Amino acid sequence: MSLIGRTAFVTGAGSGIGRATCQVLARDGANIIAADVNEANARKTIELIDKSESKNLSIAIDVSKSSNVKHVLDKVLETYKKPPSIIVNCAGITRDNFILKLSEENFQEVIDVNLKGTFLVLQAFANAIIEHQISPASIINIGSVSSKNGNMGQANYCASKAGVELLTKTAAKEFGKVGIRVNAVLPGFISTPMTAIVPEKVKAILLKQIPLARLGNPEEIAEVISFLASEKSSYINGASINVNGGMV
């Protein structure tokens, strides 16, 4: 899938799905802006790409703060003179606990990063894309299989990802007429730093729910993201694509 001549802005790019997305999009020809709350990790992602004669950038971002998102957008526009035509919202956190023990702070933190952060990046960059008349453009948001049926100990995470999915569908309706497609990818149980902390006995239970009987790889999510970023998916808009090994 050719993405030559296009620039992709990826949040949560310092590890897991975000890093794999940067690598796959770069492989397919895109210039990469790797954004992460940990800029050193984002810089490592760019080093791993090792793509000579291309304009790649690493940058620190706190997606939960509108002022910081605006600052990052300004820096991107200063560097590239136009906004990226591919936006991938991978930034996400967990603060797991059962509802009766879940603190207000931990609930709000997950909502602020996962849902509000996706909204702030989507809003700011879509505005810039429209102002600069960039077309075609594609925004891909990362949801979760957990948003469908819930998951014990993850009320905050599940609620945030359900919100991301409906935010995606709404944005697709609003932006379609200006040439911006917006879609969501809903990963299942993927081998990332986020899932590495899950106790082994819990992993064993989850594996029984996956017909393919294994965890997914970040690259398998990234391949779907690259497809949605490309014009091979030019009539896909407002979709939520499950990538979960058949997990229900």
Side-chain angles (χ1 to χ4, degrees):
M1 286 172 285
S2 176
L3 299 175
I4 294 172
R6 300 183 65 183
T7 299
F9 180 84
V10 182
T11 70
S15 64
I17 293 171
R19 174 171 285 176
T21 296
C22 291
Q23 293 173 302
V24 169
L25 294 180
R27 179 204 68 192
D28 291 344
N31 295 317
I32 302 298
I33 305 168
D36 197 277
V37 69
N38 186 323
E39 201 272 332
N41 286 348
R43 186 164 58 250
K44 176 64 175 177
T45 295
I46 295 299
E47 292 171 0
L48 288 171
I49 290 170
D50 192 26
K51 193 159 167 263
S52 60
E53 298 181 13
S54 65
K55 237 180 184 179
N56 297 314
L57 174 72
S58 63
I59 192 166
I61 190 170
D62 181 348
V63 298
S64 70
K65 293 182 170 57
S66 59
S67 58
N68 189 250
V69 171
K70 182 181 184 304
H71 170 75
V72 168
L73 175 58
D74 288 343
K75 184 171 181 179
V76 168
L77 292 175
E78 179 184 343
T79 302
Y80 293 87
K81 312 307 177 188
K82 62 180 181 179
S85 63
I86 300 166
I87 311 297
V88 187
N89 281 301
C90 284
I93 62 170
T94 56
R95 296 289 185 269
D96 295 352
N97 214 331
F98 293 111
I99 290 173
L100 295 182
K101 296 180 179 180
L102 182 61
S103 69
E104 179 181 353
E105 180 183 11
N106 282 349
F107 183 88
Q108 192 62 54
E109 189 177 3
V110 170
I111 295 295
D112 283 348
V113 173
N114 296 4
L115 178 54
K116 179 185 171 186
T118 298
F119 162 74
L120 291 175
V121 172
L122 182 150
Q123 182 186 58
F125 280 80
N127 259 319
I129 288 168
I130 293 168
E131 288 173 4
H132 286 76
Q133 298 182 321
I134 304 296
S135 184
S138 179
I139 300 174
I140 301 104
N141 300 322
I142 302 302
S144 172
V145 66
S146 299
S147 68
K148 296 298 187 183
N149 300 308
N151 196 27
M152 289 180 65
Q154 289 195 314
N156 47 3
Y157 183 78
C158 296
S160 72
K161 291 302 187 178
V164 165
E165 188 174 359
L166 269 295
L167 173 64
T168 298
K169 292 183 183 301
T170 301
K173 294 177 184 293
E174 295 184 7
F175 298 154
K177 61 181 178 295
V178 291
I180 303 173
R181 294 184 296 110
V182 189
N183 293 290
V185 176
L186 312 185
F189 201 45
I190 309 300
S191 181
T192 68
M194 187 181 290
T195 59
I197 62 174
V198 175
E200 289 302 319
K201 62 181 181 180
V202 176
K203 286 183 182 179
I205 294 170
L206 287 169
L207 282 171
K208 291 179 181 178
Q209 302 174 29
I210 305 171
L212 291 185
R214 67 172 176 86
L215 302 188
N217 296 313
E219 293 76 17
E220 292 174 303
I221 307 299
E223 293 289 356
V224 178
I225 291 170
S226 183
F227 169 69
L228 291 172
S230 77
E231 283 304 284
K232 288 185 179 294
S233 61
S234 58
Y235 203 56
I236 299 177
N237 188 38
S240 297
I241 299 180
N242 290 300
V243 189
N244 59 22
M247 189 176 184
V248 295

